[in-house]
Amino acid sequence: MLAEALEHLVRGVVDNPDDVSVRDKQLRSGSILEVRVHPDDLGKVIGRAGRTATAFRTVVSALAGRGGARVDFVDVDRRR
């Protein structure tokens, strides 16, 4: 549910919504949501001084509740 909600939010911000993917990884320390976007949209997702990324993290943490979830904007050059 969190991954779908975050993907919906990110798709509304970017110019290439078809290139947005959110992957939910379950680790011992909790859930990590990896967001991948088109390289041209990375700046839009992060925002000026990281404000947009912080807003995404705030919304996801509110939706996650006590379990919590971490949002990671993955560099497109990193391997999947």
Side-chain angles (χ1 to χ4, degrees):
M1 181 193 121
L2 288 175
E4 291 87 12
L6 180 60
E7 185 172 341
H8 179 73
L9 290 172
V10 173
R11 283 178 185 259
V13 173
V14 298
D15 289 334
N16 301 299
D18 294 335
D19 292 339
V20 173
S21 68
V22 178
R23 188 170 147 204
D24 189 5
K25 292 174 102 178
Q26 296 295 327
L27 303 175
R28 281 183 277 163
S29 59
S31 178
I32 296 178
L33 299 172
E34 287 186 348
V35 179
R36 294 180 188 270
V37 296
H38 191 275
D40 295 338
D41 292 328
L42 190 59
K44 289 184 179 188
V45 172
I46 294 172
R48 185 172 292 171
R51 290 184 188 143
T52 306
T54 302
F56 286 137
R57 289 182 176 118
T58 301
V59 170
V60 168
S61 67
L63 290 173
R66 288 188 177 194
R70 199 175 108 203
V71 177
D72 188 17
F73 297 97
V74 179
D75 188 6
V76 292
D77 293 335
R78 284 178 45 187
R79 299 264 175 183
R80 292 182 184 208

